Amino acid sequence: MKILIAGWFSYELCNVTAGDLMARDIVCEWVKSAGYPYDVAVVPPLADGVNWRSVDPKNYSHVIFVCGPFPYMKLTTEFVEYFNSSRLIGIDLSMIESIDAWNPFDVLIERDSSATSHPDITLISQQKKVPVVGVILVHPQDEYKNKGKHHIANEAINRLIASREMVAVPIDTGLDPNTTNLRTAAEIDSLIARMDFVVTTRLHGTVLALKNGVPAIAIDAISGGAKVLRQAQTIGWSCVFSIDNLSDEDLHQAFEYCQTEEARIKALECRDNAIEVIEQIRDKLLWSLDKKNLQSARVWRKEALDNSLLETPKPSITELALHQARELKKGTIKFLVKQIQ
């Protein structure tokens, strides 16, 4: 006696879901604990199984189809017909047609059908929890000229994400525009607060994380170090790296550290210590508003400054072509509107 366990994970291009795989694993565990040998029918990129279209159906006394809708269609009927000599069991299925008209299973334990319904079996799935990591990247900063090494930082972060199981959540702290569909500062702050930790090349990615007691792997993408490194050092957060000596090993160690309670306690400690200094900043601002205080710290030595950024940047050929295309499109639309009127 051998059992074949199949589902929508057994078909190509059928939008296999996490629920499908969780339900599959539950049924596999039940069958295994009962002492029955079994195969699982899968297709790439899933592995460790067989292709149901190429196996000998006579090798399986029972065939179990697990999870999802089971409509009357070519994909389902050809499966049923292929294993017609086996005892067919359907479990955790939504039967689309009335089972008075079509029920191809010898035993049907449906999720829902025209006759009855049961709880979805994934309610008992025991999945390990992986870290939810906010990924907050800064845009290329032209003001730092050739010191900017943003692509190196981004590549290192991508390698870190690829090397571990995690939920990587892109978070854009910019609002004009925002690439992650966040509309207000409150929305950005609330999302960061719900992360287990963040990986960021942005100053405010670091600050808003620590503000909410969320550890941050902060990377300063400017050669020699700039505001990210300086801010982390100022508030006492040590999990910060200069792009000049960044290594994958450093990031892996930081990844482990940021999942600890110690890191969360340290993040809150940095925030609380910073608050004391910020209260002094408030007092200094209010002092500067007093008309009696006429001190000035202005300095403007042109000979000591790099004036290249004062020049109006010339648009590239691509930018000019896009502008001309937009103008042409606008003119065409106006012409068509007039013709319609």
Side-chain angles (χ1 to χ4, degrees):
M1 174 179 178
K2 194 171 188 180
I3 298 166
L4 180 67
I5 298 172
W8 292 111
F9 44 83
S10 309
Y11 292 83
E12 294 178 344
L13 304 176
C14 276
N15 189 31
V16 61
T17 69
D20 294 334
L21 300 184
M22 291 178 190
R24 176 202 64 183
D25 293 345
I26 290 168
V27 171
C28 287
E29 181 58 34
W30 287 348
V31 170
K32 181 180 179 181
S33 64
Y36 297 115
Y38 67 90
D39 288 330
V40 179
V42 298
V43 292
L46 302 177
D48 300 324
V50 300
N51 187 320
W52 69 265
R53 298 179 188 275
S54 60
V55 299
D56 185 346
K58 295 179 181 178
N59 291 337
Y60 301 100
S61 59
H62 295 70
V63 174
I64 305 173
F65 198 99
V66 183
C67 193
F70 203 83
Y72 181 70
M73 60 188 297
K74 183 177 180 180
L75 288 178
T76 54
T77 56
E78 66 180 4
F79 180 87
V80 169
E81 290 169 357
Y82 192 75
F83 292 102
N84 192 47
S85 62
S86 304
R87 186 164 174 81
L88 295 175
I89 301 172
I91 182 168
D92 207 40
L93 302 178
S94 292
M95 301 301 292
I96 307 302
E97 282 71 34
S98 170
I99 61 173
D100 293 333
W102 187 65
N103 174 17
F105 298 102
D106 297 295
V107 177
L108 174 63
I109 312 171
E110 63 266 63
R111 182 170 58 194
D112 54 87
S113 72
S114 59
T116 188
S117 62
H118 298 97
D120 187 284
I121 65 174
T122 59
L123 282 163
I124 66 166
S125 176
Q126 299 294 320
Q127 299 293 318
K128 68 176 182 179
K129 297 299 183 284
V130 299
V132 180
V133 182
V135 180
I136 310 172
L137 304 180
V138 72
H139 54 80
Q141 297 163 293
D142 294 336
E143 62 269 28
Y144 290 104
K145 300 189 174 68
N146 60 0
K147 291 184 178 180
K149 308 294 181 184
H150 301 82
H151 66 287
I152 297 176
N154 293 347
E155 289 171 359
I157 291 171
N158 288 336
R159 288 195 300 273
L160 175 66
I161 293 171
S163 71
R164 305 294 184 95
E165 196 170 9
M166 69 179 82
V167 181
V169 181
I171 304 175
D172 185 359
T173 58
L175 287 171
D176 184 25
N178 185 281
T179 60
T180 53
N181 297 320
L182 299 170
R183 300 166 297 175
T184 66
E187 291 180 358
I188 292 169
D189 195 41
S190 297
L191 182 57
I192 291 173
R194 286 162 172 77
M195 297 296 104
D196 291 324
F197 62 93
V198 305
V199 182
T200 183
T201 53
R202 296 202 77 129
L203 181 145
H204 280 118
T206 306
V207 170
L208 294 180
L210 300 179
K211 164 186 177 287
N212 288 289
V214 175
I217 300 176
I219 302 171
D220 196 317
I222 306 305
S223 182
K227 60 184 180 181
V228 175
L229 182 63
R230 187 68 178 271
Q231 181 63 204
Q233 293 172 339
T234 298
I235 62 180
W237 180 249
S238 60
C239 197
V240 59
F241 304 97
S242 168
I243 195 63
D244 297 316
N245 51 23
L246 181 66
S247 71
D248 288 351
E249 182 180 356
D250 288 337
L251 293 181
H252 289 307
Q253 291 178 355
F255 186 96
E256 298 301 329
Y257 171 70
C258 284
Q259 295 180 77
T260 66
E261 185 62 24
E262 177 188 352
R264 285 195 165 265
I265 292 172
K266 183 62 179 179
L268 290 171
E269 179 185 312
C270 290
R271 179 198 66 183
D272 293 343
N273 291 339
I275 288 173
E276 294 182 10
V277 179
I278 292 169
E279 289 174 348
Q280 299 172 19
I281 293 173
R282 175 201 60 200
D283 294 342
K284 187 172 183 179
L285 170 64
L286 297 179
W287 170 85
S288 69
L289 298 176
D290 191 327
K291 293 182 179 180
K292 297 178 183 178
N293 300 315
L294 301 178
Q295 299 177 16
S296 175
R298 292 187 183 187
V299 176
W300 191 341
R301 292 176 51 216
K302 291 185 178 181
E303 70 278 6
L305 299 174
D306 179 355
N307 295 307
S308 61
L309 290 178
L310 298 178
E311 301 172 3
T312 303
K314 296 180 180 179
S316 65
I317 295 175
T318 302
E319 290 171 333
L320 285 172
L322 286 172
H323 175 73
Q324 291 172 353
R326 292 191 190 102
E327 293 301 312
L328 179 61
K329 182 179 179 181
K330 288 179 184 178
T332 303
I333 292 173
K334 288 180 180 179
F335 174 77
L336 291 174
V337 170
K338 286 183 179 180
Q339 295 300 313
I340 294 170
Q341 292 174 342

